[in-house]
Amino acid sequence: MKSDAAKLGLEKAPHRSLFRALGLTDEETRRPLIGIVNSHTDIVPGHINLDKIGEAVKAGVRLAGGTPLEFHTIAVCDGIAMNHLGMKYSLGSRELIADAVEIMATAHAFDGLVLIPNCDKIVPGMLMAAARLNLPAIFVSGGPMLAGRSGQKGLTLTQVFEGVGAAAAGNITVEELGLLEECACPTCGSCAGMFTANSMNCLTEALGMGLPGNGSIPAVYSERIRLAKTAGMQIMTLVEKDIKPKDIMNESAFMNAVRLDMAIGCSTNSVLHLMAIAHEAGVSIDLNLFNEISASTPNLCRLSPAGHHHMEDLYYAGGIQALFNELDKKGLINREALTVTGKKVGENIKNAVVRDYDVIRPIDQPYSPSGGLAMLFGNLAPEGAVVKKSAVAEEMMRHKGPARVFNSEEEAVKAILNKSIFPGDVIVIRYEGPKGGPGMREMLTPTSAIAGMGLDKEVALITDGRFSGATRGASIGHVSPEAASGGLIGLIEEGDLIEIDIPGCRLQLLVDDSIIEQRKVLWTEPEPRIKKGYMKRYAQLVQSASTGAIFRD
């Protein structure tokens, strides 16, 4: 056992003394030591139940003959961090989480890990750490929130953000906004739509690192506690059989994950995270692969914000395993990929059938014949940009309009709420990329304000920053290279024509090359926006969004 390095032999007498100081008996110390990596906090609604998940996991580990030892990581709530300085720190927390897990697991010589995330950057950060460490590992999340209700209408946090724009436009009253605020988030859990947190938890199943049901069982259901106990027991099997993350997260697993991403319409952030996880696992994927897989993947599921269904509806429809079974009818899934169940994907899905074809469309009757995300290329994004096309209105799939240029999210929001944006405009928000932000802020506030004011079918938005999974509309993010690195987005001027062709995967600035060259000569790199602390170091190390915003080696 790996933990023998910290507990066997004459020279480890001091170590054993410290284990006794923990209250461990000799029998507990002799057993495999399992690190329980918990991101429980009192400030993140998706994480306030993780103390209970952690206790259930530890019970499962003990039932199977192991010794669980818990430690914690940080966790950022993107909703609470939204539209202020805090959002600059969200994406950067992913790398810090991966590093923290690496440090704790290596320093204490654990034999295996059970990782307990739930929200946006915690899931990919822990997956990156699992791949890097390559210790036997399994994931169990805290589960999604139930949808809120206002009469018969289902609500999520999206409606509250969009309600701000609607109230500013006079389309709803302040009292009606208050009702949305009160009803939208009724339970603990990750917000109830196919936003980034739920996207990534579903993708743990597709990657083979989470047990069936991990992505969709609601946070408040007792089934979630039973799943956590099962994960605690299953880690002992993985340790015994020496099944490691890189045995599971291979090329086949990532192909399955990208396939699911397209079929279910995950958050655009999933592209960043899958690329970063693949890098840690030693698997090469790029933006072109997403388009290639999208072309042959029917979009079978449209959960909020792309549709009116929510995570609990996906759960009742059969979850990720049922969706995989549906994709398998056309041979679109690698059935031989290994999973943490100890079985292959084909064995896991054989009895998982779709129970509601209104939520998960039949393979022959998809929402669209291609996937829910699109990677756009062109002179404005030679390294690529990302859009959640399943959440774009048909009339905005192709659009040409004048640029309205803003050098920060705050400038753009002020213009939107002041009704200075008009039908046909293409809002450009730049210097919000990984380096320039720094931290590549999510921008749910401007996109929601546009939707709330009724402009989502008439106005487009492009940025070198990124969007929340709750964003809908013609919102194109991750434009690379970013403005702070000299990308063309930094040279756009007010009124320049921009052409968007989502079906054709094109994003083009319609300005003569000679004029662009003149502008390049005048451009200067801006001063860093944060000049101390972690995010200063982050800006110095981070690479383009087209790499997954990973650090330089």
Side-chain angles (χ1 to χ4, degrees):
M1 291 188 295
K2 188 176 179 64
S3 62
D4 287 348
K7 62 189 183 185
L8 292 187
L10 189 68
E11 71 278 15
K12 296 304 187 292
H15 304 62
R16 292 190 293 272
S17 182
L18 290 168
F19 283 124
R20 285 188 171 92
L22 294 174
L24 298 183
T25 65
D26 289 345
E27 173 59 27
E28 287 175 301
T29 302
R30 281 193 292 268
R31 293 176 177 179
L33 303 183
I34 306 300
I36 312 302
V37 189
N38 201 330
S39 53
H40 169 258
T41 79
D42 288 339
I43 187 61
V44 184
H47 290 230
I48 57 171
N49 64 323
L50 297 190
D51 54 346
K52 298 178 178 63
I53 299 295
E55 289 304 315
V57 167
K58 286 189 276 189
V61 171
R62 293 188 187 104
L63 281 168
T67 297
L69 296 163
E70 187 173 11
F71 64 92
H72 290 74
T73 73
I74 61 169
V76 172
C77 175
D78 278 17
I80 294 174
M82 197 70 66
N83 70 34
H84 61 87
L85 179 63
M87 180 46 70
K88 292 180 182 288
Y89 287 76
S90 175
L91 183 59
S93 72
R94 185 187 71 180
E95 269 58 35
L96 202 55
I97 289 164
D99 290 349
V101 176
E102 175 194 359
I103 288 168
M104 289 295 289
T106 305
H108 300 103
F110 287 118
D111 296 300
L113 299 173
V114 181
L115 299 111
I116 309 174
N118 209 28
C119 290
D120 296 34
K121 310 310 168 293
I122 301 90
V123 184
M126 288 188 180
L127 282 164
M128 290 164 67
R132 187 186 302 173
L133 289 161
N134 206 31
L135 291 172
I138 191 169
F139 279 70
V140 57
S141 74
M145 183 184 291
L146 296 179
R149 295 286 166 190
S150 179
Q152 296 300 309
K153 184 181 179 182
L155 300 175
T156 69
L157 193 64
T158 300
Q159 280 71 47
V160 188
F161 272 96
E162 292 183 2
V164 174
N171 296 331
I172 65 172
T173 66
V174 173
E175 289 74 22
E176 288 171 316
L177 177 59
L179 183 62
L180 290 174
E181 177 185 333
E182 185 175 336
C183 298
C185 298
T187 73
C188 64
S190 46
C191 296
M194 187 51 71
F195 311 149
T196 306
N198 291 322
S199 295
M200 294 310 303
N201 283 318
C202 289
L203 287 169
T204 62
E205 289 191 51
L207 287 168
M209 293 299 294
L211 293 172
N214 184 56
S216 60
I217 298 170
V220 294
Y221 285 12
S222 297
E223 186 179 353
R224 176 65 59 177
I225 299 295
R226 297 196 299 273
L227 185 76
K229 290 179 181 177
T230 303
M233 292 186 282
Q234 186 60 20
I235 188 60
M236 298 306 296
T237 300
L238 297 174
V239 169
E240 179 186 350
K241 295 183 177 181
D242 198 30
I243 298 175
K244 297 174 181 175
K246 287 187 179 179
D247 299 323
I248 295 170
M249 287 196 287
N250 53 27
E251 184 176 353
S252 295
F254 281 97
M255 297 305 105
N256 282 345
V258 176
R259 186 77 71 183
L260 174 69
D261 202 338
M262 297 303 160
I264 205 169
C266 288
S267 161
T268 52
N269 286 313
S270 64
V271 176
L272 283 177
H273 300 324
L274 282 174
M275 294 178 73
I277 299 159
H279 175 76
E280 293 286 357
V283 176
S284 178
I285 63 174
D286 62 21
L287 293 181
N288 290 298
L289 176 69
F290 287 85
N291 275 347
E292 290 170 16
I293 292 180
S294 177
S296 61
T297 307
N299 182 216
L300 302 182
C301 209
R302 289 193 175 175
L303 275 59
S304 176
H308 63 277
H309 294 122
H310 300 94
M311 288 302 298
E312 63 210 70
D313 300 309
L314 178 63
Y315 164 73
Y316 284 116
I320 298 306
Q321 303 300 310
L323 194 146
F324 259 28
N325 195 329
E326 196 66 22
L327 290 171
D328 190 50
K329 292 177 181 179
K330 290 289 182 72
L332 297 176
I333 292 298
N334 189 320
R335 297 171 54 88
E336 297 302 307
L338 183 64
T339 74
V340 289
T341 64
K343 301 174 184 177
K344 296 177 180 179
V345 167
E347 298 172 85
N348 289 342
I349 68 174
K350 64 181 178 180
N351 296 319
V353 296
V354 176
R355 297 193 290 266
D356 186 343
Y357 276 115
D358 186 45
V359 178
I360 301 174
R361 287 281 186 92
I363 191 74
D364 292 322
Q365 300 174 41
Y367 284 101
S368 67
S370 60
L373 300 181
M375 312 300 123
L376 310 185
F377 296 90
N379 70 345
L380 193 45
E383 294 177 8
V386 186
V387 63
K388 188 170 185 173
K389 68 176 184 178
S390 60
V392 179
E394 184 61 35
E395 49 265 59
M396 290 300 295
M397 296 297 279
R398 290 184 173 89
H399 180 75
K400 185 191 295 183
R404 303 296 307 282
V405 183
F406 305 96
N407 288 333
S408 71
E409 176 186 0
E410 288 82 0
E411 290 179 14
V413 170
K414 183 178 179 180
I416 295 166
L417 295 180
N418 285 342
K419 302 181 182 179
S420 299
I421 301 297
F422 306 104
D425 284 349
V426 179
I427 300 170
V428 176
I429 306 178
R430 61 193 183 190
Y431 296 106
E432 292 285 7
K435 174 184 175 182
M440 203 180 183
R441 283 193 288 184
E442 281 188 355
M443 284 180 264
L444 182 55
T445 298
T447 59
S448 296
I450 290 167
M453 299 178 84
L455 292 172
D456 55 301
K457 296 181 180 180
E458 300 176 290
V459 169
L461 191 158
I462 68 170
T463 181
D464 52 9
R466 59 193 180 90
F467 299 112
S468 164
T471 288
R472 61 186 175 95
S475 302
I476 299 164
H478 308 194
V479 171
S480 300
E482 63 174 291
S485 294
L488 187 56
I489 189 172
L491 304 180
I492 300 172
E493 293 186 359
E494 189 82 6
D496 286 349
L497 279 181
I498 294 174
E499 185 172 33
I500 298 165
D501 180 0
I502 294 174
C505 299
R506 299 290 295 171
L507 182 63
Q508 201 77 7
L509 177 65
L510 302 180
V511 173
D512 288 344
D513 290 344
S514 59
I515 295 175
I516 290 172
E517 290 303 316
Q518 291 172 17
R519 293 178 186 178
K520 281 182 180 178
V521 173
L522 299 174
W523 181 83
T524 57
E525 185 173 349
E527 282 286 312
R529 287 176 167 172
I530 295 180
K531 299 181 180 181
K532 62 181 180 180
Y534 177 68
M535 290 310 295
K536 175 188 175 182
R537 297 195 300 276
Y538 180 89
Q540 293 168 341
L541 291 171
V542 72
Q543 298 185 77
S544 168
S546 62
T547 70
I550 60 174
F551 281 171
R552 294 195 305 274
D553 289 333

